[in-house]
Amino acid sequence: MGVKKKNGIDYAMVDDDDVHTLMIGAAGCGKTAFWLYPNLEYACAAGMSFLTTDTKGDLYRNYGNIAKQYYGYDVAIIDLRNPTKSDGNNLLHLVNKYMDEYKTHPENIALKAKAEKYAKIIAKTLIFSDGDAASYGQNAFFYDAAEGLMTAVILLIAEFAPPEQRHIVSVFKLIQDLLAPGNSEPKAKQKMTQFQVLMAKLPDTHKAKWFAGAALNTSEQAMQSVLSTALSRLNAFLDSELEQILC
């Protein structure tokens, strides 16, 4: 649910699984006061969670305190204009949550499955932000493999990293480290990359090793290309202000 302005006209929109509504009217005709606010009141009274987009801040100023004071809601703001004053939004929150629960209850495989599901959703969203694999033609392999690699790294961060480091920037830092050459034995015929060294330390049944299999079982040059592809998709998060929200 949200409000947008285009060509001087406010558009009030609601998007549901079964209902798609677009309300068009001139500024000041009452779209927000007489349509959007009553819907927010209904959502609060029904106890449902909801997200509103608000470029001017009016919804929060006029309704945030009402939702908090009279309905007991936890109101959070993602402020992209003033990130240092924003509430946090860890993209890996659900992966971390279910990974922690799985560690506590290892017999519950459903918790592990949920952690893997959300890791795959994050990776797919970041890698294919502008389409799907079919739109990349001959390069589709690299993007598919990069998706699997990022899923694996997210799961490793959620499982092994300290709590304060389980966020998307740590995923970038780990992939960057994996690009470095590894320390192989002197008698080895071929030097191993840090990526291969890390995967070799995991048991064969570990799902992170499976997800990264496409990148792991290819040529060294193709492996480096997959790692670089995943790394490039994470460059958008390297911003000191944005890190205040994500980390």
Side-chain angles (χ1 to χ4, degrees):
M1 184 182 297
V3 177
K4 293 184 179 180
K5 177 171 285 189
K6 182 177 181 182
N7 299 327
I9 299 178
D10 286 336
Y11 293 81
M13 299 174 291
V14 60
D15 188 358
D16 200 342
D17 291 339
D18 302 315
V19 180
H20 300 273
T21 304
L22 174 64
M23 180 180 292
I24 303 175
C29 72
K31 298 182 302 301
T32 301
F34 300 113
W35 188 84
L36 185 56
Y37 285 162
N39 276 277
L40 293 181
E41 184 82 31
Y42 175 80
C44 289
M48 66 179 70
S49 300
F50 58 90
L51 170 71
T52 63
T53 57
D54 181 12
T55 57
K56 296 184 292 185
D58 290 343
L59 293 183
Y60 173 72
R61 286 189 292 271
N62 297 334
Y63 230 87
N65 287 332
I66 294 176
K68 184 184 301 183
Q69 182 175 350
Y70 295 102
Y71 294 99
Y73 271 71
D74 292 325
V75 180
I77 297 181
I78 305 300
D79 191 341
L80 299 180
R81 290 181 177 175
N82 301 290
T84 56
K85 298 180 181 179
S86 174
D87 290 317
N89 180 36
N90 188 350
L91 297 181
L92 272 59
H93 168 70
L94 290 175
V95 184
N96 296 335
K97 172 186 174 182
Y98 288 111
M99 185 62 73
D100 288 342
E101 292 183 6
Y102 174 68
K103 288 180 182 179
T104 306
H105 306 284
E107 74 285 352
N108 190 344
I109 197 67
L111 297 173
K112 183 182 180 182
K114 287 183 178 180
E116 293 169 356
K117 179 182 76 171
Y118 287 115
K120 288 190 289 184
I121 289 173
I122 294 169
K124 192 174 191 66
T125 302
L126 295 181
I127 296 296
F128 299 112
S129 56
D130 53 354
D132 54 22
S135 63
Y136 293 100
Q138 295 181 348
N139 294 322
F141 165 78
F142 296 104
Y143 289 91
D144 280 332
E147 179 190 345
L149 170 72
M150 190 177 294
T151 302
V153 173
I154 289 173
L155 289 173
L156 291 176
I157 291 292
E159 184 174 357
F160 297 111
E164 67 276 6
Q165 295 180 11
R166 297 194 299 176
H167 48 68
I168 196 67
V169 177
S170 293
V171 176
F172 173 90
K173 292 169 67 177
L174 180 55
I175 294 178
Q176 189 177 48
D177 291 342
L178 294 179
L179 281 165
N183 296 321
S184 58
E185 296 293 331
K187 296 181 180 180
K189 295 182 179 180
Q190 183 178 4
K191 290 185 178 181
M192 297 176 66
T193 64
Q194 290 287 1
F195 174 52
Q196 291 171 319
V197 171
L198 176 62
M199 291 297 117
K201 293 180 180 294
L202 297 176
D204 292 336
T205 56
H206 200 286
K207 281 295 182 66
K209 197 169 187 176
W210 295 7
F211 283 121
L216 191 63
N217 298 297
T218 188
S219 66
E220 182 177 353
Q221 184 176 0
M223 185 191 305
Q224 295 290 332
S225 296
V226 172
L227 288 164
S228 298
T229 299
L231 202 62
S232 67
R233 293 302 195 189
L234 293 167
N235 281 336
F237 300 108
L238 300 183
D239 181 276
S240 296
E241 286 189 329
L242 190 57
E243 287 175 10
Q244 307 307 308
I245 301 176
L246 300 174
C247 305

